[in-house]
Amino acid sequence: MSASSLRMLSKTKQTARIVIVGAGSAGIAAATRLLEQGFRNVLLLEAEDRIGGRVHTIPFADNVVDLGAQWCHGEQGNVVYQKVMDQKLLDVTEPHYENFKCVRSNGEVLPETIADQLKKIAFDSIPERQTDLGAYEGSLGDYLNMKYWQEVAKLPPIDRNIAEEFLEVFHKFEASVEAADHLYEVSGRGHLEYWLCDGELLLNWRDKGYKQFLRVLMKVKDDQPEDLGVLKGHVLLNKRIAEINWQGVDELTVRCWNGEIITADHIICTVSLGVLKEQHKQLFVPALPAPKVRAIDGLKLGTVDKFFLEFAAPPLPEDWPGFNCLWLQEDLEELRDSELFWLESVFGFYPVSHQPRILQGWIIGANARHMETLTEEKVLKGLLWLFHKFLPFNVPQPKRFLRTQWHANPNFRGSYTFRSTYTEELRTGAWDLESPLLDVGGRPRLQFAGEATHKHYYSTVHGAVETGWREAERLNFYYRQRMSQL
């Protein structure tokens, strides 16, 4: 037996060096679970100057806002909910995303009777509530169109233009849920493999933000909210990775952009799918195997950005629980010929729970990526123009304005993952991205975690957490098995 093989055989939970790349939800979940299981040499390398990844809670207005993950989606089977359910951290979000007003670009507010009929048809056509999508080969967009028009035909006559305008804004709304540029790139059949957790789907974090969940994972004390808890001494910030070399017979190496070399026995890579797409050819030595590359190419990470506007007082009338923007065709054509073309993908604005003076807006896709390149002044000017065009009342100048830039950030390059029609063409999925790279003795050398590696809960924090725990358990099982054979 070679000296290097003997060295690896001598490794135990106490001596094995585990490097986790990325201190987002998956990385933190993996690290905290490994420490619980008795591993001691666990190191998180984070490119940002903060932990959390796409969980990013910041002070704003009366308390905090979440620039990334905002809600706990569901209760049954949701590990996030199950972890905090007895701690009174969550609250049911008001039905702003169901009761919103529908406003046309000529200032006309759709009567509630018409708006409610169209909303019901649109929401009932979402495939979680369908049984006939299993063998469907087309896109989610094609499927929703077919269902929508079938049901509209059963209603008393509705202006075709209004029905089309509503369908367009519903497409944008649903594309924001998927993180797709448009629904025609979302796999219809693949969409069914996303699992919804039963229970309330929009549980907010009161006045603490989603970061509170990470504090729970790290066992941070209430009087030390910025402490790292059990991860103290296990996290290095501002450590952007230039190369992950998983070829070494004895040890693996991670090279940081500043030239620092860190050695490891196991590496868990939790970077976003966007970073993998942009960097995998340069990042990994040797190159990743073909099935892994096919998954990286086939899965897609879209762009969903948020706007937060803080006002001196609540900006909407009391009977306005948010609003969606329905564009008349002639107005849309005029918009597309202007420098404000990106506003086409801003689909709605809503109040924020526990933040009465804030209005939150959403933008998706290619126009979101363009918006990220503009100055904040230009973006705010565009949004105020939009308010003036659509709303039958004046919106005052906000006191403060924020927008997110998830795609422009090289440490993310997007928001969250979905299965595209191209994913289906390549016959790939999260199972290929999840698969660990082992040595001939079965040792996990390079492992992958993060929301994109979850077969059913991709795009979510609870999915990311499960994958971190999965990879921690993979190492735990490997060492437990080794000990049983000694």
Side-chain angles (χ1 to χ4, degrees):
M1 186 176 289
S2 69
S4 61
S5 297
L6 286 170
R7 275 194 296 272
M8 276 312 303
L9 281 174
S10 68
K11 291 288 183 182
T12 65
K13 283 185 178 184
Q14 289 72 37
T15 59
R17 299 163 299 173
I18 303 165
V19 168
I20 301 172
V21 180
S25 301
I28 290 172
T32 51
R33 181 58 60 90
L34 285 166
L35 291 171
E36 285 174 12
Q37 291 168 334
F39 291 89
R40 293 181 183 172
N41 200 334
V42 178
L43 183 63
L44 277 154
L45 302 179
E46 171 54 52
E48 295 275 300
D49 60 0
R50 60 175 182 84
I51 63 165
R54 284 168 279 172
V55 171
H56 190 15
T57 305
I58 65 166
F60 190 83
D62 296 327
N63 42 78
V64 298
V65 291
D66 279 308
L67 302 184
Q70 186 167 341
W71 294 288
C72 174
H73 295 295
E75 302 170 38
Q76 200 74 28
N78 184 324
V79 295
V80 171
Y81 178 80
Q82 291 168 353
K83 190 80 175 171
V84 303
M85 58 189 290
D86 297 325
Q87 300 184 38
K88 297 182 179 178
L89 295 176
L90 295 168
D91 193 14
V92 177
T93 298
E94 303 87 342
H96 303 316
Y97 289 84
E98 300 168 14
N99 298 342
F100 55 85
K101 300 282 188 180
C102 295
V103 192
R104 304 179 79 195
S105 54
N106 61 1
E108 176 191 345
V109 181
L110 286 194
E112 294 294 323
T113 51
I114 294 175
D116 288 346
Q117 285 178 320
L118 295 177
K119 287 179 193 178
K120 185 177 189 312
I121 288 172
F123 288 125
D124 285 351
S125 64
I126 295 174
E128 287 93 36
R129 302 194 254 285
Q130 307 297 329
T131 57
D132 55 352
L133 200 63
Y136 190 76
E137 295 289 341
S139 72
L140 181 60
D142 291 326
Y143 180 82
L144 288 181
N145 288 353
M146 176 184 70
K147 283 290 183 183
Y148 179 81
W149 290 116
Q150 282 177 358
E151 295 303 314
V152 167
K154 300 175 185 177
L155 296 176
I158 290 179
D159 185 319
R160 175 82 183 193
N161 290 330
I162 289 175
E164 287 177 350
E165 291 161 16
F166 182 86
L167 178 60
E168 279 302 306
V169 80
F170 179 69
H171 265 248
K172 295 170 195 172
F173 184 99
E174 188 63 22
S176 77
V177 175
E178 303 292 335
D181 283 11
H182 51 77
L183 295 184
Y184 300 110
E185 64 176 351
V186 180
S187 163
R189 186 172 54 199
H191 182 85
L192 275 187
E193 295 184 21
Y194 175 83
W195 291 351
L196 275 178
C197 297
D198 288 341
E200 289 290 340
L201 290 177
L202 295 182
L203 289 164
N204 66 74
W205 294 89
R206 299 181 184 268
D207 57 354
K208 295 288 192 293
Y210 218 127
K211 190 177 179 181
Q212 186 63 25
F213 171 72
L214 301 183
R215 295 187 185 107
V216 171
L217 279 185
M218 297 186 295
K219 297 183 170 64
V220 173
K221 295 178 181 175
D222 289 342
D223 60 346
Q224 298 174 318
E226 297 310 312
D227 189 51
L228 294 178
V230 297
L231 292 187
K232 192 171 185 178
H234 293 276
V235 181
L236 295 178
L237 300 176
N238 300 302
K239 292 291 182 185
R240 196 171 173 200
I241 306 306
E243 181 184 282
I244 295 173
N245 190 317
W246 55 284
Q247 189 171 32
V249 175
D250 189 3
E251 60 186 17
L252 318 177
T253 59
V254 176
R255 179 164 57 84
C256 302
W257 273 50
N258 65 357
E260 182 182 358
I261 304 288
I262 297 170
T263 56
D265 300 306
H266 311 277
I267 297 172
I268 303 176
C269 180
T270 74
V271 302
S272 77
L273 178 65
V275 171
L276 289 176
K277 282 179 177 291
E278 183 176 74
Q279 298 183 23
H280 78 85
K281 291 178 183 176
Q282 301 81 36
L283 187 60
F284 296 99
V285 176
L288 295 174
K292 189 78 65 184
V293 173
R294 193 163 57 243
I296 291 169
D297 288 344
L299 292 166
K300 186 160 182 183
L301 188 87
T303 306
V304 181
D305 279 315
K306 302 179 184 181
F307 307 112
F308 291 101
L309 298 95
E310 177 191 357
F311 298 89
L316 297 180
E318 285 188 11
D319 60 342
W320 275 64
F323 64 93
N324 276 9
C325 302
L326 280 61
W327 284 95
L328 277 68
Q329 189 58 38
E330 57 267 31
D331 288 340
L332 195 53
E333 289 170 4
E334 186 178 333
L335 180 76
R336 288 169 177 166
D337 286 336
S338 76
E339 64 176 15
L340 295 176
F341 66 90
W342 55 272
L343 288 170
E344 179 179 355
S345 297
V346 179
F347 62 85
F349 289 84
Y350 312 87
V352 178
S353 299
H354 302 278
Q355 286 273 35
R357 298 185 296 107
I358 286 183
L359 205 54
Q360 176 179 348
W362 299 82
I363 183 172
I364 60 166
N367 286 336
R369 293 188 285 277
H370 174 78
M371 178 279 301
E372 292 185 11
T373 69
L374 303 176
T375 64
E376 277 199 355
E377 290 76 16
K378 279 192 173 181
V379 175
L380 178 57
K381 185 179 178 182
L383 296 182
L384 294 177
W385 178 89
L386 190 74
F387 293 162
H388 181 73
K389 181 162 186 62
F390 275 83
L391 297 178
F393 50 83
N394 290 325
V395 174
Q397 187 77 17
K399 292 176 59 178
R400 191 175 169 200
F401 170 65
L402 273 181
R403 51 84 186 267
T404 60
Q405 294 172 289
W406 287 108
H407 183 267
N409 189 322
N411 299 323
F412 301 102
R413 292 296 188 223
S415 304
Y416 36 93
T417 305
F418 68 96
R419 283 180 57 167
S420 70
T421 51
Y422 187 51
T423 314
E424 306 304 323
E425 284 179 36
L426 294 184
R427 300 291 190 267
T428 188
W431 53 89
D432 283 329
L433 193 56
E434 162 197 345
S435 181
L437 302 178
L438 313 176
D439 66 13
V440 290
R443 169 176 65 115
R445 297 157 70 80
L446 179 57
Q447 299 163 251
F448 291 83
E451 53 88 13
T453 73
H454 202 296
K455 301 181 189 74
H456 302 296
Y457 292 145
Y458 52 86
S459 82
T460 67
V461 176
H462 57 274
V465 169
E466 282 197 7
T467 67
W469 288 346
R470 178 192 70 209
E471 296 312 311
E473 185 52 43
R474 195 187 303 278
L475 287 177
N476 189 43
F477 178 77
Y478 170 74
Y479 280 94
R480 202 168 61 229
Q481 195 176 42
R482 281 257 315 278
M483 290 301 293
S484 69
Q485 294 170 350
L486 293 179

